[in-house]
Amino acid sequence: MAMAFFAMMAFNLVDTWFVSKLGTEALAAMGFTFPLVMITHAIAMGLGMGVSSTVSRAIGSQDNDEVQRLSTYSLLLTFIIMLILSVVVFIFRFELLGLLGAEGFALELSSRYMAWWLLFTPIGLLPMVGNSAIRSTGDTLRPGIIMSVGALINVGLDPIFIFGWGPVPAMGVTGAALATGISRIITFVWAIWLMHSRCHLLNLSWIGARKVLDSWKSVLQTALPSSVTSMLAPLAGGVIVRLIASHGEAAVAATAAGQRIEYFTYLVPMAMGATLVPIIGQNWGAGRIDRVREVWRKTNWFGIAYGVASLLLAFPLARPAAELFSDDPYIIELISNYLVIILCGSIVIHSEVHTGFAFNAIQRPLTASFLRMIRYVFLLIPLTWLGGRLFGIYGIYAGMAASFGIAGIISILWFATFIRRQEAVYNRN
């Protein structure tokens, strides 16, 4: 999974790097699209979480028919939801981007990008759910390979469509969206083939509307709260983009580049989080609470150590990384300072993310949702607004970092208390 996330983060960085060569307005345009793109990703990730949680528990209870039903009809559910969402966002894309602060040529560029990106979304995000079903069986290698190859295809297509090559005209920012869409169609075909032929997770025979709805209900019990709260991140991100936009397009461009580098540093903890759901879900279904506690505890210690190491590396490497995306001294300074400030708060943020995965795996989605609400609604938005009012752009960055740190500490204390109570009840029985 680390290999897969490395490839995925690398292609996001390469996307941003290629677009940065088109100028500050093009890079800012990608920054404005980021919250809208992340909303669709959040919904797909929530559905994937629902599938992984329900399928892993069905595997733990050895119900193979239920495993196939959940895997098969979750794909249909994802397609329907993504199709509706894509149409709605396409119709209102100018208004939504305008609310985020895009205007003039940056608004035109970002709307073009979104139009092409949304065209591929109903099919292009299905591999996220399909790979979650495959991972729930304990197989993380095949989803990792699919994600890695898809990322490599995207990297190869980026310069062709962005700058043009041979008969292919230069398409600029639009070309980045087209390259991403094509790579995702290829990974969709591959993921479906693996689910059907190798993993035996699909049963294409019709089982009746009632059973389909029952399968959707099982998935949505976890997926709906997970999707709704996952959308808090891009919605809060939209508020932050709006705050940053008041400091100029250069600030939006710098933050967009900084976030791509920041997410690249998260690839190993993200990979570990992706493996938590099948491990915790299967052991919880088998009644092994002791293993659930052990996995969660060791994962947290690793995340904290990784966060400290990332921060220490940021001091010498942040500025050279920033210089890859711009030669403007102001933008370079913003990117490098963003990375150092954000990674201070990220020391314990992995604990909040992993705890959310753990609660979803044991079918406690509302608890996971409440923890996310604390992070985004009660911490991130107020602290960034206050920081911006008091200290400008760097105050916004400091508010983001502070919200990460506080949310991580709350999550650690919450799950530790919960698992002790569960073990006490289990031992009494």
Side-chain angles (χ1 to χ4, degrees), residues 141-259:
L141 178 60
R142 289 190 177 98
I145 293 173
I146 292 173
M147 293 168 65
S148 299
V149 173
L152 291 174
I153 293 172
N154 188 88
V155 170
L157 293 177
D158 261 342
I160 296 175
F161 289 112
I162 293 174
F163 304 113
W165 182 71
V168 180
M171 302 176 67
V173 173
T174 303
L178 182 57
T180 299
I182 293 173
S183 66
R184 285 184 169 169
I185 293 297
I186 294 172
T187 56
F188 162 73
V189 174
W190 194 356
I192 295 299
W193 177 78
L194 280 176
M195 291 180 69
H196 182 62
S197 300
R198 293 295 181 88
C199 302
H200 308 292
L201 288 172
L202 298 181
N203 184 352
L204 302 180
S205 60
W206 180 248
I207 59 174
R210 181 173 294 276
K211 289 186 177 180
V212 171
L213 291 175
D214 287 341
S215 297
W216 287 358
K217 181 180 178 181
S218 297
V219 171
L220 288 173
Q221 283 178 344
T222 300
L224 189 58
S226 179
S227 294
V228 170
T229 51
S230 292
M231 283 176 19
L232 290 174
L235 289 173
V239 174
I240 292 171
V241 168
R242 182 70 185 185
L243 291 173
I244 292 172
S246 64
H247 296 274
E249 287 186 353
V252 176
T255 306
Q259 286 177 328

Side-chain angles (χ1 to χ4, degrees), residues 34-335:
F34 191 65
L36 297 181
V37 169
M38 290 307 295
I39 286 175
T40 59
H41 279 180
I43 295 174
M45 289 175 63
L47 290 166
M49 181 69 71
V51 172
S52 187
S53 176
T54 52
V55 170
S56 64
R57 282 184 278 109
I59 292 173
S61 60
Q62 299 181 352
D63 189 344
N64 292 329
D65 290 338
E66 182 70 3
V67 169
Q68 289 189 334
R69 285 196 297 269
L70 291 168
S71 301
T72 302
Y73 292 102
S74 62
L75 293 176
L76 177 61
L77 175 64
T78 302
F79 176 79
I80 294 172
I81 291 174
M82 287 301 161
L83 180 62
I84 295 171
L85 180 66
S86 297
V87 172
V88 172
V89 175
F90 178 82
I91 293 172
F92 296 104
R93 66 189 187 282
F94 286 100
E95 291 81 2
L96 293 171
L97 291 166
L99 286 174
L100 295 172
E103 56 185 20
F105 189 51
L107 175 59
E108 182 182 346
L109 288 177
S110 57
S111 65
R112 288 182 198 167
Y113 180 92
M114 286 305 303
W116 280 93
W117 195 88
L118 291 167
L119 178 65
F120 292 96
T121 295
I123 295 293
L125 292 186
L126 288 182
M128 294 179 66
V129 177
N131 285 335
S132 294
I134 297 172
R135 279 195 298 270
S136 66
T137 67
D139 181 359
T140 59
L141 178 60
R142 289 190 177 98
I145 293 173
I146 292 173
M147 293 168 65
S148 299
V149 173
L152 291 174
I153 293 172
N154 188 88
V155 170
L157 293 177
D158 261 342
I160 296 175
F161 289 112
I162 293 174
F163 304 113
W165 182 71
V168 180
M171 302 176 67
V173 173
T174 303
L178 182 57
T180 299
I182 293 173
S183 66
R184 285 184 169 169
I185 293 297
I186 294 172
T187 56
F188 162 73
V189 174
W190 194 356
I192 295 299
W193 177 78
L194 280 176
M195 291 180 69
H196 182 62
S197 300
R198 293 295 181 88
C199 302
H200 308 292
L201 288 172
L202 298 181
N203 184 352
L204 302 180
S205 60
W206 180 248
I207 59 174
R210 181 173 294 276
K211 289 186 177 180
V212 171
L213 291 175
D214 287 341
S215 297
W216 287 358
K217 181 180 178 181
S218 297
V219 171
L220 288 173
Q221 283 178 344
T222 300
L224 189 58
S226 179
S227 294
V228 170
T229 51
S230 292
M231 283 176 19
L232 290 174
L235 289 173
V239 174
I240 292 171
V241 168
R242 182 70 185 185
L243 291 173
I244 292 172
S246 64
H247 296 274
E249 287 186 353
V252 176
T255 306
Q259 286 177 328
R260 300 310 197 277
I261 301 171
E262 171 200 352
Y263 293 151
F264 190 79
T265 68
Y266 294 168
L267 66 94
V268 175
M270 285 177 63
M272 186 167 283
T275 66
L276 275 181
V277 177
I279 294 173
I280 289 180
Q282 289 189 26
N283 280 288
W284 188 267
R288 293 300 304 268
I289 300 177
D290 57 321
R291 288 183 175 179
V292 172
R293 175 180 52 78
E294 181 183 3
V295 168
W296 175 81
R297 180 175 59 84
K298 290 182 176 179
T299 302
N300 270 306
W301 279 116
F302 178 83
I304 291 170
Y306 187 91
V308 171
S310 298
L311 174 61
L312 294 177
L313 287 173
F315 287 105
L317 298 179
R319 189 170 187 86
E323 290 173 348
L324 295 174
F325 294 90
S326 179
D327 55 6
D328 185 326
Y330 177 62
I331 293 179
I332 292 172
E333 181 184 0
L334 283 179
I335 295 174

